[in-house]
Amino acid sequence: MVPSTRSLSSLLALPALVFFSLSASAFPHPRTASSPATLKLAVRINSYGIKNIAAADRARIQARQAGGSSSISVTNDVTTYTADIGVGSPATYYTVLVDTGSSNTWIGANKAYEKTATSHDTGNQFFIPYGSGSVVGEEYTDTVTLSSDLVIDNQSIGVASQSSGMDGLDGIIGLGPVDLTQGTVSNTYEVATVTDNLYKQGTIGSEVLGVFFAPASSADSSGELTFGGYDASKITGDVSYVPITSTYEASTYWGIDQSISYGSTLILDETAGIVDTGTTLIYIASDAFDKYQSATGGTLDEATDLLKISSDQYDQLSSLYFTIGGVTYELTPNAQIWPRSLNSAIGGTTDGIYLIVSSTGSSSGSGDDFTNGYCFLERFYSVFDTTNSRVGFATTEYTYATTN
């Protein structure tokens, strides 16, 4: 069954150069807990400011590799996105980063927490480290409203007393595995995530999140988040699933095992890494990146911190092949370059050609050797299935698009 579109009273607004907004469409029929709830997204361009994507993402990855079980980066770059979520009853709305690479939900970085009759101070403290700072504060439980039909009772909410790196955001809504909450709240082993509670409270029939993004440079430039399943109308084939990797510490995230080839040349043996909507680029271990740079002929561009290639080199670019669970996903040459219409957003030249594959900064063998970020996920539909401890991918109409 293809899910219908639910209304959402709040808009997504990204205080960065590309951001997403939720449209206000209504389901034509009443929804039961067994039918997914789909939230529509649309891309808009904002002239907020230029950020170094590679540096921001790499800080996130390196903090994660250093052993922070909930390491996240909240640096706003070109493609992070946010949601306005309601907290309390009546609800006060807070603009929060939507992130599958972390799992705690917290607010208070910029806008003060408005307590209502549903607010309950647990007396516990919370602390979360991330790539460029940390957040600390008090834990509450409260009503959280994503839409009129996606309301969560007694959701754990961190209320920040100190935070850094938020750049106008109020906090984060975490959509990662519950394991990432371990050790983040005092007197608590782990806290139920937003998706956990939607399922436990019977709002959705399965603990599954479907994610669809269209390339920012495409005519559609839209996307959606689907709670409780996935939107079959957005895929062009079957969803192929793989279990969460057993390799620590990728296993505590949405971690998978994959190998990568450039053309017919293997550049990264099968190894563990993560899939993360909160990371913009695709990151691979430094030894694999060296092979990729050599094969493409790219040179590091100081302005963007990305590999830059000439038009002739682009014409010779081979596809990247990601083999995941025996299924190969092709990232075409066009999918490997930053959208040229957005070059100015990252400090690049108008006619420059920049590659979206970068280095993690550490060699393979760490147990966290790649991150498939947004630039991968806008070419493949992704399904994050907590119920069955697996991640799925499917091709979309944009898998082979040449919009970049």
Side-chain angles (χ1 to χ4, degrees), residues 232-249:
S233 72
K234 290 295 188 291
I235 64 177
T236 57
D238 295 331
V239 178
S240 297
Y241 292 96
V242 291
I244 298 296
T245 181
S246 60
T247 302
Y248 185 81
E249 71 186 308

Side-chain angles (χ1 to χ4, degrees), residues 215-231:
S217 54
S218 66
D220 182 22
S221 295
S222 64
E224 66 180 31
L225 305 178
T226 299
F227 289 91
Y230 65 88
D231 186 344

Side-chain angles (χ1 to χ4, degrees), residues 75-134:
T75 303
N76 293 315
D77 56 42
V78 176
T79 54
T80 53
Y81 59 97
T82 68
D84 286 349
I85 65 169
V87 180
S89 182
T92 299
Y93 282 84
Y94 303 86
T95 301
V96 295
L97 181 73
V98 178
D99 190 15
T100 62
S102 65
S103 300
N104 295 76
T105 295
W106 62 274
I107 60 174
N110 289 283
K111 186 176 184 178
Y113 178 43
E114 296 290 337
K115 300 174 187 176
T116 67
T118 58
S119 305
H120 173 67
D121 187 349
T122 67
N124 296 329
Q125 301 295 308
F126 82 101
F127 170 74
I128 305 172
Y130 50 84
S132 58
S134 62

Side-chain angles (χ1 to χ4, degrees), residues 306-339:
L306 301 178
L307 291 180
K308 187 176 183 179
I309 59 175
S310 67
S311 295
D312 288 342
Q313 288 170 324
Y314 174 67
D315 291 339
Q316 299 300 315
L317 205 62
S318 296
S319 291
L320 270 178
Y321 296 97
F322 296 71
T323 301
I324 305 169
V327 178
T328 299
Y329 301 87
E330 180 182 3
L331 201 68
T332 64
N334 187 264
Q336 293 173 58
I337 68 172
W338 181 255

Side-chain angles (χ1 to χ4, degrees), residues 40-251:
K40 289 290 185 182
L41 307 173
V43 177
R44 293 180 289 170
I45 307 299
N46 187 357
S47 57
Y48 180 76
I50 295 172
K51 300 290 182 181
N52 186 315
I53 297 173
D57 281 350
R58 196 172 292 116
R60 174 188 183 95
I61 293 166
Q62 291 175 345
R64 187 175 73 233
Q65 291 176 337
S69 63
S70 293
S71 298
I72 55 176
S73 171
V74 293
T75 303
N76 293 315
D77 56 42
V78 176
T79 54
T80 53
Y81 59 97
T82 68
D84 286 349
I85 65 169
V87 180
S89 182
T92 299
Y93 282 84
Y94 303 86
T95 301
V96 295
L97 181 73
V98 178
D99 190 15
T100 62
S102 65
S103 300
N104 295 76
T105 295
W106 62 274
I107 60 174
N110 289 283
K111 186 176 184 178
Y113 178 43
E114 296 290 337
K115 300 174 187 176
T116 67
T118 58
S119 305
H120 173 67
D121 187 349
T122 67
N124 296 329
Q125 301 295 308
F126 82 101
F127 170 74
I128 305 172
Y130 50 84
S132 58
S134 62
V135 58
V136 64
E138 189 95 356
E139 184 201 31
Y140 283 73
T141 58
D142 211 334
T143 299
V144 171
T145 301
L146 304 181
S147 73
S148 59
D149 297 290
L150 290 171
V151 179
I152 308 164
D153 296 324
N154 300 312
Q155 175 64 45
S156 172
I157 294 289
V159 178
S161 57
Q162 296 180 18
S163 64
S164 59
M166 291 306 294
D167 283 347
L169 296 180
D170 298 317
I172 288 175
I173 178 171
L175 298 172
V178 70
D179 289 359
L180 295 181
T181 68
Q182 294 175 10
T184 60
V185 178
S186 64
N187 304 311
T188 306
Y189 175 64
E190 62 185 21
V191 296
T193 68
V194 164
T195 310
D196 286 341
N197 279 331
L198 284 171
Y199 176 64
K200 291 175 181 177
Q201 295 174 20
T203 306
I204 57 177
S206 59
E207 203 168 351
V208 176
L209 174 69
V211 177
F212 167 77
F213 295 126
S217 54
S218 66
D220 182 22
S221 295
S222 64
E224 66 180 31
L225 305 178
T226 299
F227 289 91
Y230 65 88
D231 186 344
S233 72
K234 290 295 188 291
I235 64 177
T236 57
D238 295 331
V239 178
S240 297
Y241 292 96
V242 291
I244 298 296
T245 181
S246 60
T247 302
Y248 185 81
E249 71 186 308
S251 58

